[in-house]
């Protein structure tokens, strides 16, 4: 079976290669401003988890399986947040030392147990298999997802975890959660080329041909990396005797997969209704148009209200026991696009800081002017911001222009409205019966932050939403930042897609940044608080299956479990020093493709690729201002 492999910079398939070349060109040719210095990311880690993992590793190296397992099981039983920074000699760590890796200690302990030699694994299973079997049978019989998840999350290396993942994958597929299903099947049978340290089951006794066939069906249903006839031929070559019942068909599994792809309409056609439901076309930020776009004849135009320019933000720097007088921050020319509309059927939807509007694609009002260029777009519906908070100047991108995006999932549209101090997520219904009906709104100041510091001097009351959420069938996921003096605290939250109720919120850590500055809040020059500058722009999340990725533009990339918010891993990358040049870029969320998470941070001079399952750095380009950085990247 021809499975996707991890691409290298010089072997990327043509369509994605074009996308990466675009990123590099954007980074290398944009306007440049002097970069701030001293920025570093400080992840939240658990001292006990760090200590237990280190001691367990020492015991395992000596073949002391019982002692090592005792320590690993203590890690798995830790309450609350349990993130740990991997030592440089860990097999998952970056040997070059350019990227530090923080992982969920419980998940990492499970992976290390699964990688034990046969004698260590057998000892572990003698301890936990009875409990795992009870949970599995309860979950499989009663369709109890919670019981099955416990087997996978708490007893991953047991003899029953592969069975639990297989059943959970089938349930997810039936519910239309094809990305979640594919992620579970891949943990039983990893793709060829997947990182050797991925958290995959060590010795599954399942019918692997059937698991491989279900992976092909998931890819077809997702429509992002659909299997080709060559993939089907490779499957038949690898599993020539594979037979059984699959997708309502009996017989050879390869033939059943081919027939299902041809006849069952597994995937929504990419161009069926011209949908472009979010920034970059998909939640993974990696959609590629299947063919050339026919622009056609001019239809109509609509003048949009220009974004309100933010007031110049003075910079105050500490010296001795006081502060220097404020000086203007350097700015760069910016010709970037402010508005990034989405296309849904016969409507184009757009937002700014104060409203969401939808226009009919195929309707126009020529008025009294016979000139076709005078045709005006016809408004379908309008939803203004109803929050009591002032919108203020819009959030801005690196060069000063705001970036307005939207996300559609099912029949719901989500937007971020508001300003840099108070913001709101608004959800509206979008179908023929109730177009534009407001479902709910959630103010950022109404969210309780898990690691808020109410006594910290200069703390503003709450966080702001960084950008428009990314969404799946159940939840919407959004980043938040909170400014405290010269630090930025970072969070990711999941809100219920139907109600806006907070499902979970996780703190990732903080970044020290001179871009957060003290402000003169009254005419007499007294210190009245802090406010963040907006040079980082709207940070957008990416979603691939059951994992949410957060490209922070503050020295780190994070991967979180979409269901629980657990930090699967958090990887740092080398940022530019204070003497470097800062490229002005468009919105730059992580791009998820073929087992990699690819980022072009605005606080670094390279593009980086990380393994999606482990967070290990796979490759990086030469710095953008380096003479060795050429088109080959």
């Amino acid at each position: 079976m021809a499975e996707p492999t991890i691409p290298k910079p010089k072997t990327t398939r043509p369509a994605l290669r074009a996308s990466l070349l675009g990123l590099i060109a954007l980074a290398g040719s944009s306007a440049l401003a002097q970069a701030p210095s001293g920025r570093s990311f400080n992840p939240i880690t658990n001292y006990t988890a760090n200590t237990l993992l280190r001691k367990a590793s020492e015991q395992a190296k000596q073949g002391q399986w019982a002692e090592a397992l005792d320590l690993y099981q203590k890690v798995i039983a830790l309450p609350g947040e349990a993130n740990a920074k991997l030592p440089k000699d860990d097999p998952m760590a970056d040997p070059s030392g350019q990227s530090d890796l923080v992982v969920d200690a419980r998940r990492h302990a499970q992976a290390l147990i699964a990688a034990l030699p046969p004698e260590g694994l057998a000892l572990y299973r003698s301890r936990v298999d009875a409990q795992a079997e009870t949970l599995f049978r309860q979950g499989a019989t009663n369709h109890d997802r919670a019981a099955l998840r416990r087997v996978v999350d708490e007893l991953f290396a047991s003899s029953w975890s592969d069975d639990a993942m297989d059943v959970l994958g089938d349930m997810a597929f039936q519910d239309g959660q094809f990305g979640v299903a594919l992620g579970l099947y891949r943990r039983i049978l990893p793709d060829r080329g997947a990182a050797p340290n991925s958290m995959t089951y060590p010795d599954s006794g399942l019918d692997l041909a059937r698991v491989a066939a279900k992976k092909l069906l998931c890819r077809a249903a997702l429509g992002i990396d659909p299997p080709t006839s060559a993939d089907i031929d490779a499957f038949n070559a690898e599993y020539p005797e594979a037979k059984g019942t699959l997708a309502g068909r009996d017989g050879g599994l390869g033939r059943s997969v081919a027939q299902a792809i041809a006849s069952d309409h597994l995937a929504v056609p990419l161009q069926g209704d011209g949908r472009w439901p979010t920034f970059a076309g998909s939640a993974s930020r990696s959609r590629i148009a299947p063919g050339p776009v026919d622009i056609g004849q001019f239809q109509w135009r609509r003048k949009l209200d220009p974004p309100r320019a933010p007031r110049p933000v003075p910079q105050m720097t500490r010296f001795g026991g006081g502060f220097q007088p404020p000086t203007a921050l350097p700015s760069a020319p910016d010709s970037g696009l402010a508005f990034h509309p989405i296309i849904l059927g016969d409507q184009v939807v757009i937002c700014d800081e104060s409203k969401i509007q939808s226009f009919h694609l195929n309707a126009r009002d020529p008025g009294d002017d016979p000139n076709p260029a005078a045709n005006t777009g016809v408004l379908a519906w309008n939803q203004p911001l109803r929050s009591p908070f002032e919108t203020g100047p819009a959030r801005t991108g690196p060069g000063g222009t705001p970036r307005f995006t939207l996300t559609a999932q099912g029949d719901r549209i989500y937007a971020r409205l508001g300003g840099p101090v108070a913001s709101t997520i608004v959800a509206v219904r979008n179908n023929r019966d109730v177009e534009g009906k407001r479902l709910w709104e959630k103010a950022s100041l109404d969210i309780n932050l898990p690691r808020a510091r109410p006594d910290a001097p200069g703390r503003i009351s709450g966080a702001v939403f960084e950008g428009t959420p990314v969404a799946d069938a159940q939840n919407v996921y959004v980043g938040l930042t909170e400014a405290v003096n010269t630090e930025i605290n970072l969070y990711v939250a999941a809100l219920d897609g139907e109600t806006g109720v907070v499902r979970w919120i996780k703190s990732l850590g903080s970044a020290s940044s001179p871009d957060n500055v003290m402000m003169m809040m009254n005419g007499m020059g007294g210190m009245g608080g802090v406010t963040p500058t907006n040079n980082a722009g709207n940070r957008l999340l990416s979603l691939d299956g059951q994992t949410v990725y957060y490209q922070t533009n503050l020295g780190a990339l994070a991967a979180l479990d979409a269901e629980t918010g657990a930090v699967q891993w958090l990887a740092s990358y080398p940022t530019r020093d204070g003497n470097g040049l800062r490229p002005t870029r468009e919105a730059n969320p992580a791009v998820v493709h073929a087992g990699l998470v690819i980022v072009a941070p605005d606080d670094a001079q390279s593009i980086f690729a990380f393994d999606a399952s482990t967070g290990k750095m796979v490759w990086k380009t030469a710095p953008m201002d380096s003479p060795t950085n050429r088109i080959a990247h």
Side-chain angles (χ1 to χ4, degrees), residues 489-581:
N489 296 331
L490 282 82
Y491 308 85
V492 176
L495 312 179
D496 184 273
E498 191 65 36
T499 65
V501 171
V502 177
R503 300 286 296 274
W504 53 257
I505 180 168
K506 294 293 179 179
S507 177
L508 301 181
S510 62
S512 57
S513 173
D515 297 336
N516 275 1
V517 296
M518 299 297 294
M519 298 289 294
M520 293 289 189
M521 300 301 289
N522 58 53
M524 300 301 294
M527 290 294 177
V530 301
T531 186
T533 63
N534 300 314
N535 83 303
N538 288 337
R539 299 176 177 93
L540 300 176
L541 303 182
S542 304
L543 176 66
D544 184 51
Q546 57 188 355
T547 306
V548 178
Y549 298 97
Y550 191 16
Q551 161 37 19
T552 66
N553 284 318
L554 290 168
L557 168 68
L560 294 84
D561 183 89
E563 183 173 345
T564 65
V567 177
Q568 296 180 357
W569 53 262
L570 188 151
S572 67
Y573 50 79
T575 59
R576 81 179 83 76
D577 58 30
N579 295 321
L581 292 176

Side-chain angles (χ1 to χ4, degrees), residues 54-128:
R54 185 177 65 253
K55 291 181 178 179
S57 177
E58 293 170 356
Q59 296 289 352
K61 289 177 181 177
Q62 300 172 18
Q64 304 295 325
W65 311 125
E67 292 80 358
L69 288 172
D70 288 342
L71 294 168
Y72 285 137
Q73 289 183 289
K74 287 183 179 179
V75 172
I76 295 168
L78 284 173
E81 300 292 336
N83 299 331
K85 182 178 178 180
L86 294 187
K88 297 297 183 184
D89 61 350
D90 189 282
M92 286 176 59
D94 176 20
S96 71
Q98 297 183 74
S99 175
D100 291 329
L101 191 59
V102 172
V103 298
D104 178 83
R106 290 177 290 254
R107 187 173 185 265
H108 188 57
Q110 300 273 16
L112 293 174
I113 293 172
L116 289 175
E119 57 268 32
L121 188 57
L123 178 59
Y124 172 74
R125 287 174 172 173
S126 70
R127 297 182 176 188
V128 303

Side-chain angles (χ1 to χ4, degrees), residues 612-623:
S613 60
T614 67
K616 186 173 183 178
M617 186 183 292
V618 177
W619 54 259
K620 59 174 261 186
T621 66

Side-chain angles (χ1 to χ4, degrees), residues 195-258:
N197 296 308
S198 299
M199 189 170 177
T200 53
Y201 195 75
D203 55 354
S204 178
L206 297 176
D207 181 352
L208 296 183
R210 181 176 174 81
V211 176
K214 290 192 287 189
K215 287 168 59 179
L216 292 174
L217 292 178
C218 287
R219 288 170 52 192
L222 284 169
I224 297 174
D225 182 28
T228 64
S229 58
D231 292 325
I232 304 298
D233 292 342
F235 174 88
N236 289 328
E238 186 164 358
Y239 305 104
E241 305 298 326
K243 296 180 180 180
T245 301
L246 184 70
R249 297 170 175 86
D250 293 319
L253 295 183
R255 185 174 70 251
S256 295
V257 170

Side-chain angles (χ1 to χ4, degrees), residues 343-363:
I343 306 297
L344 303 174
D346 61 354
Q347 293 187 13
V348 55
V349 188
I350 202 163
C351 75
D352 58 19
E353 67 265 24
S354 62
K355 61 185 176 298
I356 311 170
Q357 292 183 315
S358 177
F359 298 91
H360 293 292
L361 274 177
N362 302 315

